């Protein structure tokens, strides 16, 4: 049967061995066990997804993409984790159109109004916004950053993304407002402070 489930019987041994290696931090050692499992159960979407995650952790992006694509093909319907992880892989491979497709599907899958679901939607919306920035579709990037902020008003990354959009219209005061708001949301983040400082300096230069 297709589905994000473990293969039965003997393959459980391979799955458990791979899991133990993963927990021990020996991620490269997971791969032979997962491949043996998949030799016997080539439609085990869970094993393909696990293999994709291992390759992603090892920064073997082409292998990760292939494994997640097999996981996707083995499923009867789209799976949230597979869509998000494959989106991450495509993004790092600079295949932004494919990443957008994955993230859009993930966004549509994620339902519910609880805090966890809203934070998840915000994260996915932020990923979509960044992909649209890379393909130079600023209008769609801004739209998705605003969606991210709707789902999670504390999303400092979305505030920075919205602020980035203002200099293109020469609205520097608008950019300043969003960067200041971001600093209030996450005042302790050294990374955000660095990004905002760099952007302020570029705004001063542009002026």
């Amino acid at each position: 049967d297709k589905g994000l489930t473990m293969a039965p019987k003997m393959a459980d041994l391979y799955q458990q061995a791979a899991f133990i290696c993963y927990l021990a931090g020996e991620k490269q050692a997971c791969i032979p066990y997962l491949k043996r499992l998949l030799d016997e159960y080539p439609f085990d979407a869970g094993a393909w997804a696990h293999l994709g995650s291992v390759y992603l952790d090892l920064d073997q992006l082409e292998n990760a993409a292939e494994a997640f694509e097999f996981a996707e093909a083995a499923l009867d319907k789209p799976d949230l984790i597979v869509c998000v992880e494959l989106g991450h892989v495509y993004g790092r491979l600079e295949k932004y159109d494919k990443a957008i497709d994955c993230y859009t599907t993930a966004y549509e899958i994620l339902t519910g109004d609880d805090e966890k679901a809203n934070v998840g939607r915000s994260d996915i919306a932020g990923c979509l916004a960044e992909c649209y920035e890379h393909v130079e579709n600023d209008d769609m990037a801004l739209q998705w950053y605003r969606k991210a902020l709707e789902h999670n008003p504390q999303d400092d990354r979305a505030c920075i993304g919205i602020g980035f959009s203002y200099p293109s219209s020469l609205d520097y005061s608008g950019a300043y407002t969003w960067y200041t708001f971001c600093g209030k949301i996450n005042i302790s983040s050294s990374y955000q402070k660095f990004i905002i400082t760099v952007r302020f300096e570029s705004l001063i230069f542009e002026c």
Side-chain angles (χ1 to χ4, degrees), residues 149 152-157 159 181 184-186:
L149 208 56
N152 179 16
Q154 301 300 309
D155 189 337
D156 48 354
R157 181 180 65 169
C159 292
F181 183 56
K184 291 178 180 178
I185 290 174
N186 192 358

Side-chain angles (χ1 to χ4, degrees), residues 13-204:
L13 180 62
Y14 298 137
Q15 183 77 39
Q16 290 167 12
F19 185 63
I20 290 169
C21 290
Y22 191 86
L23 289 179
E26 299 293 334
K27 296 175 182 177
Q28 188 69 44
C30 298
I31 296 172
Y33 292 113
L34 290 170
K35 286 187 172 181
R36 288 176 196 171
L37 188 157
L38 288 164
D39 283 342
E40 294 191 35
Y41 297 93
F43 294 105
D44 186 334
W48 280 116
H50 189 179
L51 183 60
S53 294
V54 171
Y55 279 134
L56 181 56
D57 287 344
L58 293 171
D59 207 32
Q60 297 181 29
L61 300 181
E62 293 290 352
N63 288 334
E66 183 180 52
F68 281 123
E69 286 165 359
F70 275 116
E72 190 176 49
L75 290 162
D76 290 322
K77 59 182 180 181
D79 176 81
L80 177 62
I81 294 175
V82 171
C83 289
V84 170
E85 293 284 78
L86 186 52
H88 291 342
V89 174
Y90 284 144
R92 289 175 62 181
L93 287 170
E94 300 183 3
K95 297 180 179 181
Y96 298 115
D97 289 337
K98 288 186 174 183
I100 286 169
D101 288 341
C102 291
Y103 289 137
T104 301
T105 301
Y107 183 85
E108 292 169 350
I109 291 172
L110 190 55
T111 58
D113 291 325
D114 57 273
E115 182 179 355
K116 185 177 180 180
N118 279 320
V119 170
R121 280 201 201 91
S122 178
D123 288 343
I124 295 170
C127 290
L128 278 161
E130 290 179 359
C131 286
Y132 278 113
E133 283 183 336
H134 283 294
V135 297
E136 300 183 352
N137 188 333
D138 294 336
D139 289 340
M140 287 298 293
L142 181 59
Q143 178 181 319
W144 280 105
Y145 276 131
R146 291 192 181 280
K147 279 183 184 259
L149 208 56
E150 286 175 15
H151 291 303
N152 179 16
Q154 301 300 309
D155 189 337
D156 48 354
R157 181 180 65 169
C159 292
I160 289 179
I162 294 171
F164 274 21
S165 71
Y166 278 86
S168 61
S169 61
L170 302 182
D171 184 358
Y172 300 111
S173 63
Y176 177 85
T177 298
W178 281 101
Y179 296 149
T180 303
F181 183 56
C182 172
K184 291 178 180 178
I185 290 174
N186 192 358
I187 196 169
S188 64
S189 172
S190 58
Y191 171 73
Q192 303 293 29
K193 288 178 183 176
F194 171 75
I195 293 294
I196 292 170
T197 300
V198 170
R199 196 55 178 167
F200 273 150
E201 289 177 351
S202 68
L203 290 180
I204 292 169

